[in-house]
Amino acid sequence: MTSPAGEEEQSFDLAIIGGGIAGITLAIALLNRGIKVNLYEQGHAFSEIGAGVAFSPNATQAMEVCADGIYQGFVKVATKNQWKSKEKVWLELVDGYHHDESMGTQEKFLFELSNDLGQNAVHRAHYLDELAKLVPEGVPHFRKHLDLVTEEESGKLRMKFHDGSEAVADAVIGCDGIKSRVRQLILGQSDLASQPQYTHKYAYRGLIPVKRAIEVLGEENAVNTKMHVGPDKHILTFPIDKGETMNVVAFCTNSDPWPDSRHLTLPSKKSTAIKEFEGWGRNCVEIMNLLEDNLDCWAIFDTGDYPLSTYYKGRCVLSGDAAHATTPHHGAGAGFCIEDSAVMAELLAAAATNVKSGKVSKNQALEASFAAFEAARKERTQWLVQSSRLIGDLFEWRVKGIGSDVRKIEKELRDRDDIIWNVDVRQMAREAVEDLEKRFA
């Protein structure tokens, strides 16, 4: 009979760096499988950049694989299109640039994309609040900015934090986002892929009370998702907060460098955003006028210029945006983070079983798990980074050979969304575990 000390020796003790959607969903998924984990977040609480985020059918599948509470938390705070006739609509594209005054608040309809869920948006902070309820006290550690990871003679990994504190774990999982420190430690800071790159797109973000939006834009435009497209710019609007708020993200493209590489968001003014959309259609101009006076301008960075050569090194691995930071144009980045969490959790649960059976050592099991994770996730996630860039340009009529051709834009979007939505996440995880088992054979 194995002693408690022996059981402790055979059990994983894992560290997650980062407390955004990627880190917290992975922590919950691992805890749900009986795996010990500590989560280290550099902020004072769980946090995410931005207000609204949408989840498509692949993402909700992944939530259910991770843990039922992750899915239930989503259901609790999700906001659909408010019109019953549009509940299955994921995105409705309209011409935001040209406008016929005789149409009033109506814009020229181009096409719509639908799926089984339709638009399901959450306020990031509200969703994280629900997820935080699933994380036991003692698991999260805040104000922990990772500096260094070293391996001890015992085989444990020692993490050193900026505040002078230290901690040890069997493995370190970097869920620390687009500016990932764990990515730098794995690749080396001289590797161009260790830093995200500016895509020459930026966005003004704002929230508008729906009642005010209805007065100016009409009910249909205010309470349902709309993608207002046009040359070199586009505006995404969708309801959040159970229909009480319209979330606005107004994207622009130019060739100028981003002025401050240390900060991905900079303060801006409504007057600047209004000037950006001079000459656009009535609704887009009015949306800018409805924004609050003080705005954030958000630089769109990703890992597309220099895709990572590897997602792991030894017993350090990357998940979520740390591995494959993507632009938001597909509305799939957060969902892919949760796919990562689902696959990683299933792999580590299978690995833990093999360790307890004496089939492999703990360290061998962890390295093999991370190799299987990379094999399962790298192609799909790096495809998303590139595809999302293309979609952003499609919305702005910038793609060579397509331009403003509506039918060509529609075909590209449908084909690419099909790759994202129509997957079986449970089967994806099963195949990863099968690969892992072969590595143990």
Side-chain angles (χ1 to χ4, degrees):
M1 188 176 201
T2 307
S3 67
E7 289 179 5
E8 182 71 20
E9 183 63 30
Q10 289 179 329
S11 301
F12 292 150
D13 181 358
L14 305 178
I16 294 173
I17 309 298
I21 286 175
I24 197 170
T25 56
L26 179 58
I28 294 164
L30 292 172
L31 291 166
N32 196 53
R33 289 158 174 80
I35 296 174
K36 181 182 178 182
V37 62
N38 283 280
L39 186 151
Y40 301 92
E41 161 60 34
Q42 69 177 357
H44 67 276
F46 293 116
S47 63
E48 277 276 339
I49 295 174
V53 60
F55 292 108
S56 48
N58 58 299
T60 56
Q61 283 187 56
M63 292 175 192
E64 292 180 306
V65 173
C66 285
D68 185 61
I70 293 175
Y71 177 71
Q72 294 304 326
F74 158 74
V75 171
K76 185 175 179 179
V77 298
T79 301
K80 289 179 169 288
N81 289 323
Q82 298 296 284
W83 280 17
K84 184 75 174 174
S85 61
K86 294 181 180 291
E87 67 177 2
K88 300 296 186 185
V89 174
W90 169 257
L91 200 62
E92 180 179 312
L93 270 76
V94 294
D95 184 340
Y97 183 68
H98 300 102
H99 187 70
D100 183 342
E101 289 297 329
S102 68
M103 295 176 68
T105 60
Q106 293 300 308
E107 294 164 292
K108 182 181 178 181
F109 172 83
L110 301 179
F111 61 89
E112 66 183 29
L113 303 171
S114 300
N115 60 40
D116 291 341
L117 288 177
Q119 177 67 220
N120 270 280
V122 302
H123 192 295
R124 288 174 186 264
H126 298 168
Y127 186 39
L128 278 176
D129 286 345
E130 293 301 315
L131 296 180
K133 297 173 185 177
L134 305 175
V135 181
E137 188 176 347
V139 170
H141 309 271
F142 297 109
R143 302 187 189 278
K144 296 296 180 183
H145 180 99
L146 181 69
D147 282 340
L148 194 62
V149 178
T150 57
E151 184 171 354
E152 301 194 315
E153 288 185 12
S154 66
K156 290 277 189 180
L157 299 182
R158 180 168 293 277
M159 295 161 286
K160 297 183 179 181
F161 298 98
H162 206 59
D163 63 0
S165 63
E166 299 184 1
V168 295
D170 295 318
V172 174
I173 305 172
C175 298
D176 48 342
I178 191 166
K179 297 168 77 174
S180 171
R181 175 60 178 159
V182 181
R183 186 200 304 133
Q184 295 172 5
L185 294 173
I186 287 175
L187 299 179
Q189 287 187 260
S190 63
D191 190 325
L192 292 173
S194 70
Q195 299 289 346
Q197 304 296 317
Y198 183 44
T199 64
H200 293 281
K201 280 184 167 55
Y202 53 96
Y204 300 95
R205 299 178 302 178
L207 302 173
I208 300 170
V210 156
K211 288 181 181 179
R212 179 67 180 133
I214 289 173
E215 291 174 2
V216 177
L217 303 171
E219 183 181 5
E220 182 196 357
N221 293 316
V223 304
N224 302 299
T225 182
K226 299 280 183 177
M227 181 67 78
H228 311 259
V229 301
D232 297 326
K233 299 176 177 66
H234 65 284
I235 302 174
L236 172 63
T237 62
F238 56 87
I240 58 173
D241 296 336
K242 298 299 182 182
E244 294 297 315
T245 305
M246 186 171 85
N247 189 62
V248 178
V249 193
F251 296 90
C252 305
T253 299
N254 67 31
S255 59
D256 298 337
W258 182 248
D260 186 349
S261 61
R262 294 174 302 168
H263 299 98
L264 303 190
T265 59
L266 293 175
S268 189
K269 295 288 186 181
K270 176 170 74 173
S271 57
T272 305
I274 290 173
K275 192 171 292 185
E276 294 270 19
F277 285 87
E278 281 182 357
W280 276 58
R282 173 197 179 279
N283 283 7
C284 291
V285 172
E286 291 293 357
I287 289 169
M288 295 299 100
N289 285 325
L290 285 168
L291 294 173
E292 55 267 39
D293 287 336
N294 296 313
L295 302 172
D296 282 336
C297 186
W298 175 30
I300 312 299
F301 279 67
D302 71 5
T303 55
D305 284 348
Y306 304 103
L308 278 67
S309 59
T310 184
Y311 285 3
Y312 79 103
K313 181 179 180 181
R315 284 172 288 122
C316 290
V317 67
L318 302 170
S319 186
D321 284 351
H324 45 80
T326 184
T327 56
H329 309 303
H330 257 307
F336 270 47
C337 290
I338 303 176
E339 283 187 15
D340 281 358
S341 295
V343 174
M344 182 77 79
E346 289 288 271
L347 283 167
L348 289 170
T353 299
N354 278 277
V355 171
K356 288 178 181 177
S357 72
K359 190 173 182 179
V360 291
S361 73
K362 190 189 296 187
N363 288 355
Q364 288 173 328
L366 288 165
E367 288 198 36
S369 297
F370 297 158
F373 174 79
E374 177 180 284
R377 299 297 297 156
K378 190 176 177 185
E379 181 178 355
R380 177 169 167 82
T381 54
Q382 292 192 345
W383 169 86
L384 179 71
V385 176
Q386 301 300 332
S387 185
S388 187
R389 279 193 174 195
L390 178 73
I391 296 303
D393 282 341
L394 282 173
F395 291 150
E396 299 180 356
W397 303 344
R398 294 172 55 85
V399 178
K400 188 176 180 180
I402 295 179
S404 60
D405 188 314
V406 175
R407 297 285 74 83
K408 289 182 179 179
I409 294 171
E410 180 179 7
K411 183 179 187 310
E412 284 287 346
L413 278 167
R414 290 191 186 282
D415 289 349
R416 291 168 184 275
D417 281 342
D418 185 65
I419 293 170
I420 294 169
W421 299 342
N422 295 322
V423 294
D424 184 334
V425 177
R426 289 189 186 278
Q427 181 60 26
M428 185 189 301
R430 279 195 293 268
E431 290 174 0
V433 170
E434 289 171 5
D435 176 37
L436 178 65
E437 296 291 350
K438 290 176 184 176
R439 293 171 190 269
F440 291 153

